């Protein structure tokens, strides 16, 4: 929020009055997904060996939580590395994140479990 009560982004782009285009929204999403993929590769390089569905779960969670917070899911990561996908899914559902995102956590945990 700027000094006159307008929501802004970047270098003063007035979101309240001008907003952003669909193309800009799409570009921002692409950049955020690419960032999540880079962070996953840096912190957990073995994520690339998972099924596409499980990779999508990790990208979604990294995007939503940020890698510093997502990395604190120690039991989740241990289960994932051990190939215990049902346990990893259970860890997802037992987190505070699950309560915050609701149905999305259920959907993503099913994706993790089923691959």
């Amino acid at each position: 929020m700027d000094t006159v009560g307008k929501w802004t982004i970047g270098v003063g782009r007035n979101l309240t009055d001008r907003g952003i285009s669909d193309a800009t929204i799409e570009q921002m999403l692409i950049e955020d997904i690419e960032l999540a993929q880079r962070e996953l590769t840096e912190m957990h390089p073995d994520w690339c060996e998972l099924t596409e569905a499980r990779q999508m779960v990790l990208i979604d969670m990294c995007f939503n939580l940020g890698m510093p917070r997502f990395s604190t899911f120690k039991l989740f990561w241990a289960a994932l590395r051990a190939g215990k996908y049902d346990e990893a899914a259970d860890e997802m559902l037992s987190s505070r994140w699950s309560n915050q995102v609701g149905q999305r956590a259920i959907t993503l945990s099913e994706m993790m479990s089923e691959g």
Side-chain angles (χ1 to χ4, degrees):
M1 181 133 347
D2 71 6
T3 58
V4 295
K6 304 282 183 167
W7 289 105
T8 64
I9 190 172
V11 187
R13 172 71 173 255
N14 183 335
L15 295 177
T16 303
D17 297 330
R18 185 168 180 203
I20 55 177
S21 68
D22 288 345
T24 300
I25 292 168
E26 182 69 24
Q27 182 59 41
M28 291 170 63
L29 177 60
I30 289 168
E31 290 175 15
D32 288 342
I33 290 170
E34 289 173 351
L35 174 61
Q37 290 171 323
R38 283 192 308 273
E39 290 177 332
L40 284 163
T41 300
E42 289 172 15
M43 298 287 290
H44 305 283
D46 52 338
W47 83 283
C48 295
E49 298 169 16
L50 299 171
T51 64
E52 184 178 352
R54 290 182 177 122
Q55 288 178 22
M56 290 173 59
V57 170
L58 296 183
I59 292 168
D60 186 296
M61 292 181 73
C62 185
F63 171 84
N64 181 249
L65 293 161
M67 183 49 78
R69 187 165 164 219
F70 190 25
S71 289
T72 66
F73 285 49
K74 303 293 185 196
L75 296 175
F76 165 81
W77 285 107
L80 188 66
R81 285 195 177 102
K84 298 178 179 178
Y85 304 116
D86 289 337
E87 286 183 31
D90 289 343
E91 289 300 324
M92 292 167 64
L93 293 176
S94 68
S95 69
R96 183 173 47 167
W97 163 84
S98 176
N99 293 328
Q100 294 169 340
V101 300
Q103 180 60 44
R104 191 166 94 219
I106 295 168
T107 300
L108 293 175
S109 69
E110 289 170 354
M111 289 171 64
M112 177 58 64
S113 184
E114 297 169 8

